[in-house]
Amino acid sequence: MSAALLEDAVVAAQGDGRPSRRGTRWRRLLGFVVPLVLLGLWQVVAEVELLSPRLLPPPSVVAEQFWVFFFGETGTLTLAGVVPFTGAGGDHLLSSLRRAGIGWLLAVGVGTLVGLMLGLSALARDLLDPVLNALRAVPIFAWLPLALVWFGIGEGAARALIFIGALWPVLVAVGDATSRVPRSYVETAQMLGTPRRWLWRKVYLPSALPEVVTGLRLSLTLAWTVVIVGELSGTTSGVGAMMNAARESGRTDQVVVGILVFAAVGLVADVLLRLATRRWVRWADA
Amino acid sequence: MSGTLVARGLGKAFGDLVVLDGIDLEAQAGQVLAVLGPSGCGKSTLLRVLAGFEPPTSGEVLLDGRPVSGPSPQRGMVAQAGGLFPWLPLRENLSFGPAASGRPAAEVREVVDELLSATGLDGFADALPKQLSGGMRQRASIAQVLANRPPVLLLDEPFGALDAQTRLRMHEWLLELLAERPTTTLLVTHDVEEALLLGDRLCLLSNRPATVVDTQPVPFGTGRGRAVLADPAFVQMKAAVLERVLAA
């Protein structure tokens, strides 16, 4: 018997047929080529003053402002009278992160709860689906006036918008994923003696997790996107508030600094979330 | 020895569609009852009713004389696709049942270690199901159910998706496994050779709506293996039974 069993053990040990990582590693470096070329072009265009520096400041100036934003002497420059710039980068970034984080966590909590209800109960689905689909179709900017009326200019409106923006991907992913958990998993678990009250933790949650994680990533991206909408609604702290004030002061270079900060943080957050959840979703990798 | 599973007047209909019509059968303690029937006759439905996944429309299922209903670790079922949870490593898949019934961790570990070696999967405790071959997955699925030490094992064409050579190896492996730990087994199949090789008794079903046409002993004794395939008596019985299945 053991000889026979060993044969297919060898088949199984031969790996899952994915291309080797060495090939992908140097190809990944290609991703840096395009940004470097763009950066060079940008510098040249700005150098020969093809475009006015007011429209397109050269990268060197932006880099300098980036440095000043984070490490300059605090309080030497205040935009539009109220929004600090020099040395205020860290504070702005923290307050944007806090805002996005709070809105996102709220969205994850509410989205998971409502999504589970939709996924596990046909009654909830029949009751809520039409309403939710209609609300989901409302563009995030359309909530802005109402958010301002309800929560006032500033923090409340910003959090409400981030919450609404980040809610849908979580809710839809959790709902879809749990409603599509194969019945055979549930039956097997019950047959093996799993009490009904543990099914969601032992079967529904792990089975749905890969799709849910995709929803969480999308939702985090959206939360980070909507931060700027929230901060345009009149906060005096946050990267978005700085950019708005910089625009009012005609400082395109500082506006571009804000864009770079958003891009960097979005990228880092996505990578961190992917690393944090990799262990749970390894089984679903193609 | 306990573990006698009896179906008495078992009927199942989905709306107007009658699938099972008064099935009477008995899987005797420690024996393998092979249930053979034409494709689409309702064999899988029968097994799902016996496992408690579907309530019968009429009749009842008795385990050692007591009526049973609903899925339970007492009647371990392995479907054709197997029951492994793709997100759990093999060890955790095998521990799933005993852990769900709250058995102590040390005991679970011991049971699982023993099953891993009985299935020849010692080296794969940390592998995910997708990293295993089809034969390994089916052995693991059977082990997952046996970890609960069920008095009754229900197998729904467990080797149907495997190639012929692998299937024959699985048959010999299963015979060995059941010899080591006698478990009442009800094996549903459309493969006559599989039924005669594994079954102690043979139960023949008719076309839908399924009824029991005949129950007969399989006379090839214990300790059979691939050698019996060449036995003229085996060949003859295989042909005769196949004829009856096709005529059913």
Side-chain angles (χ1 to χ4, degrees):
Chain A
M1 169 173 91
S2 45
L5 296 184
L6 271 179
E7 280 169 42
D8 52 19
V10 173
V11 173
Q14 279 168 353
D16 44 12
R18 266 193 270 175
S20 75
R21 283 192 76 77
R22 206 182 320 154
T24 55
R25 186 166 300 162
W26 81 266
R27 292 195 68 172
R28 202 170 289 169
L29 287 177
L30 284 179
F32 291 97
V33 173
V34 174
L36 284 175
V37 169
L38 282 179
L39 203 62
L41 268 175
W42 177 11
Q43 182 70 44
V44 169
V45 168
E47 204 77 47
V48 301
E49 298 203 356
L50 210 61
L51 287 169
S52 132
R54 280 221 42 189
L55 290 180
L56 189 71
S60 48
V61 172
V62 172
E64 187 199 329
Q65 287 302 315
F66 195 91
W67 179 265
V68 169
F69 185 45
F70 281 98
F71 307 109
E73 196 187 326
T74 317
T76 44
L77 175 65
T78 303
L79 295 167
V82 282
V83 181
F85 182 82
T86 46
D91 291 342
H92 281 310
L93 183 55
L94 265 183
S95 97
S96 287
L97 283 174
R98 240 174 73 92
R99 217 166 264 144
I102 289 172
W104 183 62
L105 287 178
L106 260 169
V108 169
V110 174
T112 305
L113 272 178
V114 180
L116 275 176
M117 273 166 56
L118 291 179
L120 300 181
S121 149
L123 179 67
R125 219 162 24 240
D126 292 344
L127 279 171
L128 297 178
D129 242 4
V131 182
L132 290 174
N133 280 332
L135 288 178
R136 195 151 63 96
V138 178
I140 187 68
F141 272 109
W143 294 108
L144 182 58
L146 196 61
L148 289 176
V149 173
W150 282 4
F151 302 103
I153 291 173
E155 205 56 47
R159 281 186 197 165
L161 283 181
I162 294 162
F163 166 74
I164 296 171
L167 177 65
W168 305 117
V170 182
L171 196 151
V172 170
V174 172
D176 274 4
T178 45
S179 72
R180 264 191 277 122
V181 170
R183 209 162 74 117
S184 65
Y185 293 164
V186 180
E187 288 180 346
T188 302
Q190 285 183 308
M191 179 265 294
L192 290 173
T194 312
R196 183 167 280 278
R197 65 178 185 283
W198 286 116
L199 283 177
W200 70 272
R201 202 171 78 81
K202 290 292 202 178
V203 178
Y204 285 104
L205 199 61
S207 173
L209 207 53
E211 207 176 322
V212 169
V213 164
T214 307
L216 291 183
R217 281 177 56 197
L218 189 57
S219 145
L220 187 63
T221 310
L222 272 170
W224 193 232
T225 308
V226 176
V227 160
I228 183 101
V229 182
E231 290 177 346
L232 292 179
S233 75
T235 57
T236 53
S237 67
V239 181
M242 178 280 281
M243 290 170 74
N244 201 31
R247 181 190 55 80
E248 282 171 21
S249 317
R251 293 297 300 266
T252 319
D253 50 347
Q254 294 168 347
V255 170
V256 176
V257 167
I259 290 175
L260 292 179
V261 172
F262 269 105
V265 172
L267 196 65
V268 169
D270 190 53
V271 168
L272 286 181
L273 187 63
R274 217 182 318 182
L275 286 178
T277 54
R278 194 165 53 174
R279 221 170 62 82
W280 306 331
V281 301
R282 185 170 66 109
W283 63 274
D285 286 348
Chain B
M1 186 179 168
S2 64
T4 298
L5 187 73
V6 171
R8 198 179 283 158
L10 213 55
K12 178 70 187 175
F14 297 97
D16 291 337
L17 181 71
V18 181
V19 181
L20 306 177
D21 184 17
I23 300 265
D24 288 299
L25 57 76
E26 177 175 352
Q28 286 164 0
Q31 292 209 337
V32 178
L33 177 68
V35 178
L36 195 60
S39 302
C41 78
K43 298 187 294 285
S44 290
T45 304
L46 170 63
L47 219 53
R48 288 181 59 78
V49 172
L50 292 175
F53 294 145
E54 304 276 356
T57 315
S58 61
E60 58 182 351
V61 180
L62 305 167
L63 178 58
D64 291 324
R66 279 187 299 276
V68 288
S69 65
S72 136
Q74 296 289 297
R75 283 157 289 137
M77 166 142 164
V78 180
Q80 181 165 357
L84 300 179
F85 300 105
W87 56 88
L88 292 180
L90 195 51
R91 171 175 292 283
E92 287 179 50
N93 259 301
L94 299 201
S95 318
F96 198 97
S101 356
R103 306 244 295 270
E107 188 191 325
V108 173
R109 200 167 177 83
E110 197 178 314
V111 169
V112 170
D113 280 339
E114 194 215 337
L115 279 166
L116 280 171
S117 86
T119 46
L121 295 168
D122 310 77
F124 293 87
D126 299 320
L128 287 171
K130 68 170 180 184
Q131 293 168 309
L132 305 176
S133 72
M136 295 165 92
R137 269 202 291 273
Q138 287 313 87
R139 292 204 298 277
S141 297
I142 292 173
Q144 180 189 46
V145 166
L146 287 180
N148 270 332
R149 300 192 195 288
V152 174
L153 182 61
L154 304 169
L155 302 178
D156 186 6
E157 310 220 13
F159 310 126
L162 303 177
D163 63 83
Q165 287 98 21
T166 310
R167 191 156 63 226
L168 184 57
R169 278 197 252 132
M170 292 299 118
H171 290 157
E172 293 183 328
W173 168 77
L174 186 63
L175 284 170
E176 221 173 294
L177 187 77
L178 291 177
E180 282 162 18
R181 54 191 88 208
T183 308
T184 310
T185 302
L186 207 139
L187 169 84
V188 153
T189 180
H190 65 266
D191 179 350
V192 178
E193 188 176 291
E194 181 168 87
L196 294 183
L197 198 54
L198 297 179
D200 295 304
R201 286 193 312 138
L202 187 67
C203 171
L204 216 64
L205 295 185
S206 71
N207 246 320
R208 208 174 58 216
T211 54
V212 175
V213 176
D214 187 22
T215 305
Q216 62 186 104
V218 179
F220 302 107
T222 52
R224 55 196 177 273
R226 69 186 76 171
V228 81
L229 295 179
D231 182 340
F234 186 92
V235 175
Q236 206 175 1
M237 184 167 181
K238 186 176 155 187
V241 171
L242 182 60
E243 214 38 65
R244 294 193 62 184
V245 173
L246 292 174

